[in-house]
């Protein structure tokens, strides 16, 4: 029996070890101490709000976010803008609606129930405007990349001069973290690009952090509720397990005492 | 079935039971004599039943909001995640539930291998179990296609393309499966239809599986035949029900850990990119629970050969009761088999690991060696072992070894 246990432990170690190999990437990502990480993780409201500002002032000129509506910005667990703020944000956008009773399309100011307005009418248009590269929709981008938030952050601060001898085509940039080190997005961030309304100093890495925070929420808008519910469920299960354990001991004591 | 006759105490109960003996069935299930030495590896049957019901219930709710159309499937799953009340919970239970289901079924199968539960008189139980396992793989494979992400699409393309290896009719079969000349909307809608149907067939097979089990009764850790009912057995209720419940709760705690705290670790990030027939992902990998078979498939340079080995690796398991002819069931009394059992476990884990790696260089070599060993285990080692192995003496009854004082060994 001891030998089996030994083999068993070895197997588990091999498994753990191999899962490390599985998920290790070639270039080490910059790890951040994200507030949403871990089993009690929560979003940082002000970072989310700043991140939305970066998204809408910078990234939104190329990247769509089709799965989000303006109302989401005011929902619990998100940036939690006030209702008036959400209405004002939405009203900044022009929405094509219709047809009206005359059969005509018309434009009107946005409402909280509207979806985020896309910068381009379709994927082809976005590619045509970006040298043939599609700026991916950002709604679930964080979950669509290995490494998640750390990857997005690393990518945003990972622009460098290419090593000598590395040939780059026109309109292609060198990035340490991009697959193949070539990306068709120029560095979107630079110090002071936005002026934060809360007075935070808009350094490149601060903006990268904030926009990544925002994108993480966008990809997983119920994360806070998930963590909170998770604790309740697990504590409930543990208590129930203990009760059942003691009942089981009681029930089985009749049999165990027979031998 | 137990021999005693059951009479309901109430008048109505008796009237009803004379017409439909449901109460007799209930009494049979509650008093079903079960070996008293079953360990926790025996709790996975109940856990599996729970998993099936969970998949069906969460799947029903998902199906109320899901749209099986190539242009809308991806967004409809995200709609469930974002806008449906607790939709994220339902979907994460369903997607992680599939993994937990397979985790449980693998433990359940290896339990049977260790304790020789597939041997006479339980061959039919074993074969029914294998059919359930096959249908589970088909169901999970088709379910994985439904969110219509990149892995959904390319996984479906790779797996369905396997059938093109069949000589002469292969290509036509693939076109027929797809409902066109590529994986597309018709493929998605039929996969949804079948994904909805198969779990109910599985449910039917589970009923047969348990029915067949209730004829000879449970095997047990020492693997000997026992008299039922006797002092070696306990009635199913409350002894086994409470033990199964306890194990299920532990299982649920682990399950919840995945659902609430890392719901996406078992999935692939590419599946959050909508399917795009123009872009092939760098590595196309199936879900973790299919990896050992994927490794076997890719270890053969020839496509047809790979497909043949893939199916052989599953069907060989069905023949297991006739490949292992040792009269002794439990590995506890088979010192050599016991070592080979653990080697097989290791082999399958290695296969799973290389299945996730690119099929080249050292990985390919390891995959080939492990594939060869897999077949060697079932086709050569087991039959030979059945005639050569010196087994240890069996106890006369379950209570006997306990009396000799080594109680730990048998618990
Ligand atoms: C044997 C039981 C079942 C297994 C193993 C299973 C497995 C799966 C898997 C692996 C997925 C993909 C999860 C993902 O990545 O999103 C899925 C999706 C889905 N399943 Fe099932 N399933 C089962 C039963 C059912 C049943 C009975 C229904 C319907 C009544 C159902 C409806 C759905 C729907 C609508 C989806 C797409 C939504 C989604 O992807 O989350 N499933 N299933």
């Amino acid at each position: 029996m001891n030998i089996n246990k030994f083999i068993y432990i070895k197997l588990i170690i091999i498994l753990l070890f191999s899962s490390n190999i599985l998920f290790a990437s070639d270039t080490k990502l910059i790890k951040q101490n994200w507030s949403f990480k871990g089993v009690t993780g929560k979003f940082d409201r002000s970072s989310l709000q700043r991140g939305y500002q970066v998204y809408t002032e910078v990234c939104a000129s190329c990247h769509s976010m089709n799965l989000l509506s303006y109302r989401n910005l005011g929902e619990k667990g998100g940036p939690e803008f006030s209702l008036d703020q959400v209405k004002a944000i939405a009203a900044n956008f022009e929405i094509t609606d219709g047809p009206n009773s005359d059969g005509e399309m018309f434009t009107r100011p946005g409402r909280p129930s509207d979806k985020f307005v896309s910068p381009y009418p379709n994927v082809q248009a976005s590619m045509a405007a970006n040298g043939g590269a599609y700026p991916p929709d950002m709604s679930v981008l964080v979950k669509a990349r290995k490494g998640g938030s750390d990857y997005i952050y690393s990518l945003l601060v990972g622009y460098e001069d290419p090593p000598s001898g590395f040939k780059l085509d026109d309109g292609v940039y060198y990035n340490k973290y991009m697959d193949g080190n070539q990306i068709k997005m120029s560095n979107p961030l630079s110090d002071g690009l936005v002026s934060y309304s809360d007075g935070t100093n808009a350094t490149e890495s601060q903006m990268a952090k904030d926009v990544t925070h925002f994108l993480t929420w966008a990809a997983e808008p119920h994360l806070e509720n998930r963590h909170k519910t998770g604790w309740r469920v697990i504590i409930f299960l543990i208590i129930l397990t203990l009760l059942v354990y003691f009942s089981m001991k009681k029930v089985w004591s009749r049999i165990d005492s027979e031998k | 079935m137990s021999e005693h006759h059951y009479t309901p105490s109430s008048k109505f109960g008796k009237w009803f039971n004379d017409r439909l003996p449901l109460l007799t069935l209930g009494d049979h299930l509650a008093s079903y004599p079960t070996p008293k030495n079953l360990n926790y590896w025996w709790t996975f049957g109940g856990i599996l039943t729970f998993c099936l019901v969970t998949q069906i219930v969460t799947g029903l709710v998902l199906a109320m909001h899901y749209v099986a159309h190539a242009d809308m499937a991806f967004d409809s799953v995200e709609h469930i995640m974002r806008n449906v009340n607790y939709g994220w919970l339902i979907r994460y239970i369903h997607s992680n539930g599939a993994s937990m289901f397979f985790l449980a079924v693998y433990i359940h199968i290896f339990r049977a291998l260790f304790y020789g539960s597939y041997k006479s008189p339980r061959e039919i139980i074993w074969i029914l179990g294998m059919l359930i396992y096959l249908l589970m793989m088909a169901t999970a494979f088709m379910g994985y296609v439904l969110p219509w992400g990149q892995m959904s699409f390319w996984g479906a393309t790779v797996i369905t393309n396997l059938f093109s290896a069949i000589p002469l009719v292969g290509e036509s079969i693939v076109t027929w499966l797809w409902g066109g000349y590529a994986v597309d909307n018709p493929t998605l809608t039929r996969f949804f239809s079948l994904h909805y149907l198969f779990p109910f067939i599985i449910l039917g097979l589970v009923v047969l599986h348990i029915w067949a089990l209730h004829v000879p009764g449970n095997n047990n850790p020492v693997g000997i035949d026992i008299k039922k009912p006797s002092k070696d057995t306990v009635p199913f209720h409350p002894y086994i029900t409470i033990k199964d419940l306890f194990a299920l709760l532990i299982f649920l705690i682990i399950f919840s850990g995945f659902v609430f705290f890392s719901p996406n670790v078992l999935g692939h990030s590419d599946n959050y990119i909508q399917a795009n027939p123009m872009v092939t992902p760098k590595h196309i990998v199936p879900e973790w629970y299919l990896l050992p078979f994927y490794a076997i498939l890719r270890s053969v340079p020839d496509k047809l050969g790979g497909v043949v080995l893939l199916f052989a690796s599953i069907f060989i398991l069905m023949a297991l009761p006739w490949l292992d002819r040792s009269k002794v069931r439990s590995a506890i009394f088979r010192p050599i088999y016991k070592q080979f059992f653990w080697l097989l476990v290791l082999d399958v884990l290695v296969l799973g690991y290389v299945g996730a790696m690119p099929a080249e260089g050292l990985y390919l070599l390891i995959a080939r060696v492990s594939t060869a060993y897999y077949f060697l285990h079932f086709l050569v080692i087991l039959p030979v072992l059945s005639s050569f192995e010196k087994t240890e003496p069996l106890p006369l009854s379950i209570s006997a070894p306990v009396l000799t004082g080594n109680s730990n060994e048998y618990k």
Side-chain angles (χ1 to χ4, degrees):
Chain A
M1 271 301 173
N2 268 336
I3 292 192
N4 287 341
K5 277 205 184 115
F6 177 68
I7 295 176
Y8 222 25
I9 290 164
K10 258 188 43 199
L11 284 179
I12 290 166
I13 291 171
I14 290 173
L15 261 181
L16 289 176
F17 173 69
S18 59
S19 62
N20 263 339
I21 299 178
L22 267 174
F23 299 121
S25 65
D26 319 343
T27 321
K28 274 254 172 304
L29 298 176
I30 307 167
K31 295 260 187 282
Q32 294 282 323
N33 205 4
W34 302 109
S35 67
F36 49 78
K37 258 190 7 195
V39 292
T40 52
K42 279 194 173 68
F43 291 115
D44 171 350
R45 292 304 148 229
S46 38
S47 184
L48 285 181
Q49 298 198 352
R50 289 194 301 270
Y52 172 68
Q53 194 184 341
V54 177
Y55 167 72
T56 191
E57 288 179 18
V58 186
C59 323
S61 57
C62 300
H63 291 273
S64 60
M65 250 178 148
N66 290 334
L67 298 172
L68 275 87
S69 304
Y70 295 109
R71 66 177 163 82
N72 296 136
L73 294 170
E75 280 165 8
K76 215 166 161 283
E80 296 188 5
F81 285 111
S82 69
L83 184 59
D84 288 336
Q85 282 171 311
V86 173
K87 281 184 178 157
I89 287 172
N92 276 334
F93 294 88
E94 198 170 73
I95 308 279
T96 309
D97 204 347
N100 62 16
S101 48
D102 297 329
E104 308 285 344
M105 300 302 280
F106 59 92
T107 56
R108 57 162 176 80
R111 291 192 284 256
S113 58
D114 286 317
K115 289 253 152 90
F116 276 25
V117 174
S118 297
Y120 300 104
N122 50 54
V123 172
Q124 283 75 7
S126 75
M127 288 172 71
N130 285 286
Y134 164 56
D137 183 271
M138 284 186 153
S139 318
V140 279
L141 194 57
V142 169
K143 291 202 281 187
R145 292 291 182 279
K146 218 164 91 183
S149 315
D150 286 328
Y151 169 76
I152 305 285
Y153 174 81
S154 304
L155 183 89
L156 289 173
V157 300
Y159 285 89
E160 284 184 349
D161 291 331
S164 54
F166 194 95
K167 267 229 244 21
L168 277 179
D169 292 333
D170 249 12
V172 181
Y173 305 86
Y174 186 86
N175 190 305
K176 232 165 68 179
Y177 299 97
M178 183 71 178
D179 195 22
N181 297 129
Q182 306 190 47
I183 185 164
K184 288 190 173 161
M185 167 172 77
S186 60
N187 187 350
L189 297 173
S190 55
D191 287 345
L193 189 61
V194 301
S195 57
Y196 281 136
S197 48
D198 67 357
T200 306
N201 191 7
T203 60
E204 189 181 323
S205 95
Q206 181 66 42
M207 286 185 285
K209 237 179 259 175
D210 291 338
V211 77
T212 306
H213 214 99
F214 174 72
L215 293 178
T216 307
W217 163 76
E220 196 67 27
H222 298 292
L223 177 137
E224 288 190 9
N225 189 10
R226 172 154 63 72
H227 287 172
K228 223 167 56 196
T229 315
W231 277 108
R232 291 195 188 132
V233 168
I234 287 191
I235 289 171
F236 169 80
L237 283 175
I238 289 175
I239 294 172
L240 192 60
T241 307
L242 286 174
L243 291 177
V244 168
Y245 176 77
F246 289 117
S247 323
M248 179 178 75
K249 283 284 148 202
K250 183 95 195 292
V251 167
W252 275 85
S253 63
R254 296 175 225 155
I255 301 295
D256 292 339
S257 61
E258 273 172 21
K259 48 181 192 200
Chain B
M1 301 250 174
S2 53
E3 282 307 304
H4 64 281
H5 291 285
Y6 170 77
T7 329
S9 47
S10 76
K11 229 173 139 189
F12 174 72
K14 197 172 162 340
W15 178 88
F16 184 89
N17 204 47
D18 285 343
R19 283 149 186 84
L20 178 68
L22 264 189
L23 297 171
T24 302
L25 178 67
D27 177 69
H28 160 76
L29 293 177
S31 61
Y32 168 67
T34 316
K36 69 177 189 186
N37 63 338
L38 296 189
N39 56 33
Y40 282 105
W41 301 117
W42 261 264
T43 58
F44 283 87
I47 287 172
L48 282 162
T49 312
F50 173 86
C51 288
L52 179 61
V53 173
T54 306
Q55 291 305 99
I56 289 179
V57 172
T58 52
L60 277 169
V61 179
L62 287 174
M64 293 173 190
H65 302 277
Y66 172 78
V67 183
H69 187 285
D71 296 335
M72 287 178 271
F74 186 87
D75 285 357
S76 78
V77 171
E78 277 303 320
H79 162 72
I80 294 171
M81 294 289 287
R82 287 159 193 274
N83 302 325
V84 174
N85 286 332
Y86 284 92
W88 57 269
L89 180 58
I90 303 286
R91 189 211 172 200
Y92 279 153
I93 292 176
H94 196 78
S95 58
N96 287 285
S99 282
M100 298 308 287
F101 202 168
F102 275 93
L103 178 71
V105 88
Y106 283 125
I107 294 176
H108 193 65
I109 292 173
F110 277 106
R111 185 281 317 258
L113 292 180
F114 188 86
Y115 295 109
S117 303
Y118 48 84
K119 291 182 190 181
S120 171
R122 297 184 181 83
E123 300 94 324
I124 301 286
I125 307 174
W126 172 255
I127 289 171
L128 284 167
M130 278 294 132
L131 290 177
I132 292 169
Y133 174 52
L134 268 177
L135 279 181
M136 272 175 67
M137 289 201 282
T139 308
F141 161 68
M142 289 188 291
Y144 195 57
V145 176
L146 301 185
W148 210 241
Q150 274 290 68
M151 274 306 152
S152 301
F153 180 88
W154 290 98
T157 303
V158 170
I159 301 297
T160 48
N161 247 318
L162 294 179
F163 292 91
S164 70
I166 302 170
L168 298 176
V169 291
E171 295 291 343
S172 326
I173 290 184
V174 173
T175 310
W176 178 72
L177 285 175
W178 286 341
Y181 295 99
V183 172
D184 204 342
N185 196 51
T187 327
L188 176 61
T189 48
R190 67 189 53 190
F191 276 22
F192 180 49
S193 174
L194 294 176
H195 182 73
Y196 207 135
L197 170 68
F198 279 16
F200 294 94
I201 303 182
I202 295 178
L203 190 63
L205 287 172
V206 168
V207 171
L208 293 184
H209 188 70
I210 296 173
W211 187 2
L213 168 72
H214 280 231
V215 177
N218 291 71
N219 183 26
N220 65 77
V222 287
I224 55 172
D225 290 323
I226 50 174
K227 274 230 297 290
K228 285 164 289 229
S230 71
K231 76 179 185 4
D232 281 349
T233 68
V234 291
F236 193 81
H237 184 74
Y239 297 97
I240 304 298
T241 39
I242 192 137
K243 196 164 167 177
D244 278 357
L245 179 63
F246 173 66
L248 174 65
L249 285 167
I250 303 272
F251 182 81
L252 278 182
I253 291 173
I254 298 167
F255 193 164
S256 306
F258 279 109
V259 167
F260 292 104
F261 300 115
S262 45
N264 291 306
V265 279
L266 298 170
H268 196 294
S269 53
D270 276 9
N271 229 26
Y272 279 105
I273 305 173
Q274 188 164 359
N276 183 351
M278 315 302 270
V279 181
T280 320
K282 237 169 69 184
H283 301 294
I284 302 175
V285 283
E287 294 265 83
W288 69 266
Y289 38 81
L290 303 177
L291 287 173
F293 297 109
Y294 196 51
I296 292 178
L297 170 75
R298 296 189 306 173
S299 68
V300 189
D302 171 59
K303 194 166 165 187
L304 180 59
V307 175
V308 169
L309 272 204
L310 172 69
F311 281 101
S313 65
I314 301 167
F315 284 102
I316 209 169
L317 286 170
M318 299 221 187
L320 185 58
W322 297 276
L323 291 170
D324 175 7
R325 294 189 316 272
S326 171
K327 288 274 175 298
V328 177
R329 293 194 189 101
S330 174
I332 289 175
F333 304 104
R334 299 184 62 188
I336 308 179
Y337 172 74
K338 195 177 357 185
Q339 309 302 327
F340 281 115
F341 168 84
W342 289 109
L343 264 179
L344 181 72
V345 174
L346 184 68
D347 188 61
V348 172
L349 288 176
V350 168
L351 277 172
Y353 174 65
V354 291
M357 294 290 130
E360 58 199 26
L362 187 60
Y363 292 129
L364 188 57
L365 183 70
I366 297 176
R368 288 187 173 152
V369 173
S370 320
T371 301
Y373 182 79
Y374 180 89
F375 286 99
L376 193 75
H377 176 91
F378 290 107
L379 291 178
V380 180
I381 296 174
L382 285 190
V384 170
L385 213 57
S386 339
S387 37
F388 280 91
E389 186 178 27
K390 256 212 154 72
T391 57
E392 284 163 14
L394 296 176
L396 288 173
S397 76
I398 289 175
S399 316
V402 178
L403 288 176
T404 60
N406 284 339
S407 56
N408 277 341
E409 283 279 300
Y410 306 108
K411 266 202 151 167

